[in-house]
Amino acid sequence: MRTGAGPPPPGRSPAGDGPTPGTSRASQPAAAAPARGAAAARRVSRTGVSGVTATANRRAAVSPDLPPAQRLLRAAEELFGESSYRRATVAGICARAGIATGSFYAHFGSKAEIFAAVVRQINADLRMAMRAAIEQAGESQRERERASFRAFFDMLSQRPWMDRIVRESEFVDPGLFREYYEHLARGYARGVRRAQLAREVDARYDPEVIAYIYTGVGNFIGMRWADWTAGGRVPEDVLDDVLEVLSRGLPPAPAHPAQDVSS
């Protein structure tokens, strides 16, 4: 798939942190100390060995100023993410929300119902965040892709449990799991189709295929750097690599003429 981003600027490797293609590391000028420090920081961010604390991944107290239904939703999202749907209880959700257990049923009929509401709220929040990011992005498809991925990764950093909840929904309520991804993919596919009409994306590709590629890439890159890493945030150079792969489409290497094995 080609998104019209074009080749990387001269003197920059596709990955963004190696030597220029066609040169060896030995032929590169010695890096200054700040450059070495930046490279080390990138290595740290990629391996997850970081001095950044996991404070951003700790839950905040549910605000008592929220309406009761919203307090229950926030509490349920955190509890489902921490202990799983199976282990969470209505009583535990109410305790975290600071609401009497008997009042729960004025808002939700069961644990299954509030779980579905949590998954749908995550989906709505994510689509809203990405839409807002795209509105602030530049005009090119590459800029819109960056804004969308960055919005998703940042939301995952703030709510690291959200993907675990969505993954669990496949087993709790398969229809809900499918609904979640179909809603996301429809929005992605519409954006891809607009980019195809603008000749920014190769029109040979099915927009839905590209939409699900976006979904899979986003999920696993986010899981690796925003969920599994302390203080997790997907680094900019990782996002650079993702966008470079999307723009280049992993073309095969040119075929070489078959060698005459008899010589």
Side-chain angles (χ1 to χ4, degrees):
M1 177 182 69
R2 307 198 189 288
T3 58
R12 178 184 179 277
S13 71
D17 56 0
T20 302
T23 62
S24 67
R25 289 191 181 273
S27 67
Q28 300 290 310
R36 288 196 297 269
R42 284 198 296 274
R43 288 194 297 273
V44 165
S45 73
R46 284 175 176 270
T47 59
V49 182
S50 173
V52 179
T53 68
T55 302
N57 288 353
R58 296 173 184 165
R59 67 177 179 87
V62 177
S63 171
D65 297 328
L66 291 172
Q70 287 299 312
R71 286 160 61 189
L72 287 167
L73 274 174
R74 291 278 184 89
E77 180 182 320
E78 293 174 359
L79 201 57
F80 289 142
E82 290 171 12
S83 62
S84 81
Y85 173 80
R86 301 296 180 190
R87 294 180 181 177
T89 64
V90 168
I93 293 168
C94 292
R96 181 164 295 189
I99 291 175
T101 303
S103 300
F104 175 90
Y105 297 98
H107 305 282
F108 301 98
S110 63
K111 183 173 77 168
E113 185 176 314
I114 196 171
F115 181 79
V118 164
V119 172
R120 290 184 175 119
Q121 186 67 58
I122 290 171
N123 187 276
D125 291 348
L126 178 56
R127 287 186 287 122
M128 183 182 300
M130 289 192 294
R131 186 161 52 245
I134 288 171
E135 288 173 357
Q136 299 298 317
E139 295 298 321
S140 74
Q141 176 68 3
R142 181 71 175 271
E143 290 171 307
R144 292 190 293 269
E145 285 174 343
R146 177 179 290 277
S148 295
F149 277 118
R150 185 78 269 166
F152 169 66
F153 295 150
D154 286 350
M155 183 171 162
L156 188 58
S157 294
Q158 295 158 9
R159 295 154 77 172
W161 51 76
M162 71 182 208
D163 258 8
R164 295 195 289 273
I165 294 172
V166 173
R167 291 196 300 272
E168 190 175 21
S169 73
E170 181 181 7
F171 307 99
V172 175
D173 185 343
L176 180 67
F177 178 79
R178 177 175 172 175
E179 173 193 308
Y180 180 93
Y181 284 109
E182 285 180 338
H183 281 182
L184 285 182
R186 277 199 293 270
Y188 295 163
R190 284 194 295 269
V192 170
R193 184 57 183 154
R194 285 193 294 270
Q196 287 175 327
L197 293 172
R199 300 182 182 275
E200 293 183 286
V201 171
D202 195 323
R204 293 176 298 174
Y205 300 123
D206 182 337
E208 187 176 13
V209 171
I210 299 175
Y212 277 98
I213 289 172
Y214 286 163
T215 302
V217 168
N219 278 352
F220 281 92
I221 294 294
M223 191 188 310
R224 162 62 181 85
W225 276 278
D227 189 4
W228 296 352
T229 304
R233 187 175 191 270
V234 175
E236 286 300 314
D237 67 307
V238 171
L239 181 51
D240 287 342
D241 284 354
V242 168
L243 295 171
E244 198 68 46
V245 168
L246 290 174
S247 69
R248 291 175 178 270
L250 296 180
H256 296 287
Q259 293 181 346
D260 185 354
V261 296
S262 63
S263 59

